[in-house]
Amino acid sequence: MTTSFAIDAIGHIRSPYKQKFAIPRQPRLVDTARAQLVLTGEFNHEEFVRGIEEFTHIWVLFRFHETADKGYSALVRPPRLGGNARKGVFATRATFRPNAIGMSAVELLGVDYANGQVTLQLGGVDLLDGTPVLDIKPYLPYSDALPDASAGFADTRPQTQMTVSFSEQALTFIAKVDPALQLQTFITQVLQQDPRPAYKKNKEGTQSYGMTLYDFNIRWQVDGEHNHVEQISPL
Ligand code: SAM
């Protein structure tokens, strides 16, 4: 029996998420997160995706390339459990796992064939910019949607009470950005997920954070359950 395989990527992701910090923990938690799946090499051909536009959603199988060489443990600490309790890695969706394979069901917004490049337009991604794609499969509601399934410690969509406000500078900046990016809604949805690591969440006082979305640096402050976006600037 063969137990070792070589896999070639079929394409890669172009995403507004330029670093791991602030990426939502699952797809569709931030539905304004637009991305492109760019087919590469021999797979960059219309025949490989013919008919895919009939599906509203697809599974993207990918490699956690940013962390793949950092190893894995049998037990991990799911953020859901406050970073304290441990579960088996195969009982979680942790990024640090054997083979470093991820899977996300995302919205398929369109397929482009401009200039000989096949590009799938995606919505609601939880993928880092540059993520290598290993396979694509259509999402099949009759089989993949399981409304009666239970999911133990991850049974419900994560709830958040976090609110978000914007400074005058941030609003002025957003007004000049391509409206198609829906930047204000996008930033709001990202911050409502509370991207801070679990150990920072109960800290007293105001904390400052920064992240990069698209080509923009975004700085904000957290005070209790409130995020205030102070400044947005170009990279
Ligand atoms: N939906 C996928 C799954 O269940 O396999 C991914 C879930 S994983 C918990 C989501 C996190 O993976 C994101 O919040 C981000 O921090 C991380 N991530 C996304 N793309 C990555 C990449 N290419 N390399 C390493 N980490 C990545």
Side-chain angles (χ1 to χ4, degrees):
M1 193 199 309
T2 308
T3 57
S4 183
F5 313 91
I7 292 183
D8 291 322
I10 60 157
H12 61 263
I13 296 290
R14 281 198 208 123
S15 162
Y17 298 119
K18 307 299 179 190
Q19 69 224 150
K20 272 190 69 190
F21 177 57
I23 304 181
R25 299 216 176 90
Q26 286 300 335
R28 290 171 295 109
L29 292 174
V30 171
D31 62 14
T32 45
R34 300 279 185 267
Q36 287 80 45
L37 194 169
V38 180
L39 292 182
T40 49
E42 64 175 296
F43 307 104
N44 181 29
H45 195 287
E46 169 272 329
E47 289 180 354
F48 280 97
V49 292
R50 194 179 295 171
I52 202 167
E53 64 283 351
E54 295 170 32
F55 296 86
T56 59
H57 294 79
I58 55 172
W59 286 105
V60 176
L61 288 113
F62 61 93
R63 179 142 166 101
F64 289 112
H65 74 301
E66 183 97 337
T67 48
D69 62 356
K70 300 212 162 76
Y72 56 86
S73 306
L75 291 171
V76 300
R77 300 168 195 264
R80 282 270 195 162
L81 300 175
N84 297 322
R86 291 171 179 236
K87 298 282 180 186
V89 66
F90 297 138
T92 76
R93 304 291 278 262
T95 56
F96 299 92
R97 57 195 308 118
N99 297 322
I101 292 175
M103 49 184 277
S104 295
V106 299
E107 202 179 350
L108 178 61
L109 299 169
V111 186
D112 294 340
Y113 303 100
N115 305 318
Q117 177 59 61
V118 183
T119 306
L120 307 188
Q121 302 292 341
L122 309 180
V125 301
D126 59 346
L127 305 169
L128 185 65
D129 192 40
T131 296
V133 176
L134 308 178
D135 200 358
I136 302 165
K137 300 186 191 217
Y139 177 85
L140 301 181
Y142 81 85
S143 175
D144 294 342
L146 305 166
D148 298 331
S150 308
F153 67 88
D155 206 27
T156 53
R157 187 183 167 99
Q159 295 299 316
T160 169
Q161 308 296 323
M162 300 295 273
T163 52
V164 183
S165 62
F166 291 80
S167 70
E168 281 300 315
Q169 188 279 339
L171 290 173
T172 306
F173 188 97
I174 288 168
K176 294 179 189 153
V177 169
D178 180 357
L181 300 185
Q182 301 179 77
L183 190 58
Q184 187 172 353
T185 310
F186 183 36
I187 294 171
T188 302
Q189 291 183 344
V190 167
L191 296 185
Q192 280 175 334
Q193 297 299 311
D194 196 358
R196 294 174 297 163
Y199 73 93
K200 294 229 168 166
K201 289 192 179 172
N202 295 322
K203 285 210 164 168
E204 295 284 321
T206 307
Q207 305 153 47
S208 293
Y209 293 91
M211 65 179 169
T212 304
L213 295 177
Y214 292 106
D215 294 333
F216 313 122
N217 280 321
I218 294 143
R219 295 214 61 81
W220 77 99
Q221 290 202 330
V222 188
D223 190 358
E225 307 257 282
H226 186 68
N227 299 278
H228 182 66
V229 179
E230 286 183 313
Q231 193 174 35
I232 309 180
S233 52
L235 268 189

